[in-house]
């Protein structure tokens, strides 16, 4: 099976702009989660979508939003970008098994200038 | 809430040395436990997992045992190689929140020839 794919891999934006990141999960996986990775804060959970519904949400401001489509592909959007939003954004998918492991994509490196 | 504490790094070892990276957790119930590895410029790769007490996860010479009594999941390898140099993350997923992993801060391992 193909792994989790994320596009774009790299992105440079200016403060105040908005950005949309895309994630395609492993075929058959219905859960997609998003994480932000920074040197200072480590890996922080943003939100999880399952069957087009947000099932879990982390402690991020409302500028961070997401959605999931009927084919399980997911997008996350960040509006009014701030310098502190510079990070590696990781998407992970998981299947319906009982061990709950997540499979990660390569990430999108967002730089806000 | 749930939390994972990893031993602080970085860790530098000579090739063929023994490795132990400590990981302890706090969670309600009985979470699934994981070790992930991240190589430079890449996403996280699942290294091994354990889903219940006394389970031993193993992969590529790495092992970790789910210890409920000490709430620990220490990563071990008997003989490290230069190619093991990477960042290692301990993580848990609660059974009540399958799409939300909680990660430790990561431990950077450098193996010198």
């Amino acid at each position: 099976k193909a792994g989790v794919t994320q596009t774009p891999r790299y992105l440079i934006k200016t403060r105040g702009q908005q950005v949309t990141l895309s994630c395609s999960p492993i075929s058959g996986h219905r859960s997609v989660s998003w994480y932000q990775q920074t040197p200072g804060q480590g890996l922080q959970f943003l939100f999880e979508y399952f069957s087009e519904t947000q099932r879990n949400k982390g402690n991020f401001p409302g500028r961070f939003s997401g959605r999931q489509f009927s084919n399980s592909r997911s997008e996350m959007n960040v509006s009014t970008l701030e310098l502190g939003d510079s990070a590696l954004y990781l998407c992970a998918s998981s299947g319906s098994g009982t061990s709950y492991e997540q499979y990660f994509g390569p990430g999108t490196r967002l730089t806000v200038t | 809430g749930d939390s994972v504490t990893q031993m602080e790094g970085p860790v530098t070892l000579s090739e063929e040395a023994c490795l132990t990276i400590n990981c302890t957790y706090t969670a309600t119930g009985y979470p699934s436990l994981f070790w992930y590895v991240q190589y430079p410029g890449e996403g996280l790769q699942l290294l091994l997992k354990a889903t219940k007490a006394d389970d031993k996860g193993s992969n590529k010479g790495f092992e970790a045992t789910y210890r409920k009594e000490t709430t620990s999941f220490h990563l071990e390898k008997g003989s490290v190689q230069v190619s093991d140099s990477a960042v290692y993350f301990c993580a848990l997923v609660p059974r009540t929140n399958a799409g939300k992993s909680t990660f430790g801060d990561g431990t950077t391992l450098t193996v010198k020839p």
Side-chain angles (χ1 to χ4, degrees):
Chain A
K1 280 185 180 177
V4 177
T5 59
Q6 292 187 244
T7 56
R9 290 293 310 277
Y10 302 92
L11 207 48
I12 300 175
K13 290 286 188 180
T14 304
R15 268 182 304 175
Q17 288 186 316
Q18 75 165 17
V19 66
T20 299
L21 312 181
S22 181
C23 171
S24 292
I26 291 172
S27 178
H29 285 188
R30 292 161 66 190
S31 168
V32 174
S33 300
W34 289 88
Y35 296 85
Q36 181 194 65
Q37 186 178 24
T38 59
Q41 299 296 318
L43 277 153
Q44 294 193 291
F45 173 77
L46 281 154
F47 30 65
E48 181 221 1
Y49 286 85
F50 182 86
S51 293
E52 301 179 67
T53 301
Q54 187 179 86
R55 191 162 68 170
N56 285 294
K57 188 176 188 310
N59 297 322
F60 278 80
R63 300 185 297 106
F64 292 82
S65 63
R67 59 178 175 167
Q68 187 180 34
F69 302 95
S70 59
N71 61 358
S72 293
R73 190 177 69 85
S74 177
E75 290 181 346
M76 69 163 279
N77 184 77
V78 188
S79 62
T80 319
L81 284 166
E82 300 176 0
L83 294 178
D85 297 333
S86 294
L88 181 66
Y89 289 88
L90 293 164
C91 163
S93 73
S94 57
S96 57
T98 56
S99 56
Y100 310 125
E101 67 260 33
Q102 295 189 301
Y103 295 89
F104 284 79
T108 294
R109 171 74 63 185
L110 172 65
T111 302
V112 182
T113 62
Chain B
D2 298 338
S3 67
V4 175
T5 302
Q6 280 182 241
M7 68 181 283
E8 292 186 17
V11 175
T12 302
L13 296 173
S14 297
E15 206 165 22
E16 300 184 2
C18 295
L19 168 71
T20 299
I21 301 177
N22 291 335
C23 170
T24 57
Y25 68 90
T26 302
T28 53
Y30 302 103
S32 291
L33 301 175
F34 304 90
W35 277 99
Y36 289 89
V37 59
Q38 186 176 36
Y39 298 99
E42 299 183 11
L44 275 67
Q45 296 178 24
L46 177 64
L47 182 59
L48 52 83
K49 66 182 180 186
T51 58
K52 61 184 188 297
D54 300 324
D55 264 3
K56 177 186 281 188
S58 61
N59 185 26
K60 300 180 181 179
F62 291 91
E63 293 183 338
T65 302
Y66 191 142
R67 302 284 188 202
K68 179 165 125 356
E69 62 277 9
T70 54
T71 61
S72 64
F73 193 55
H74 305 323
L75 182 68
E76 298 177 326
K77 187 174 186 184
S79 176
V80 294
Q81 306 300 312
V82 172
S83 57
D84 294 327
S85 298
V87 182
Y88 293 81
F89 292 91
C90 183
L92 68 82
V93 175
R95 295 183 191 285
T96 54
N97 242 339
K100 180 181 178 182
S101 295
T102 297
F103 291 88
D105 290 338
T107 301
T108 300
L109 170 66
T110 300
V111 180
K112 296 188 172 180

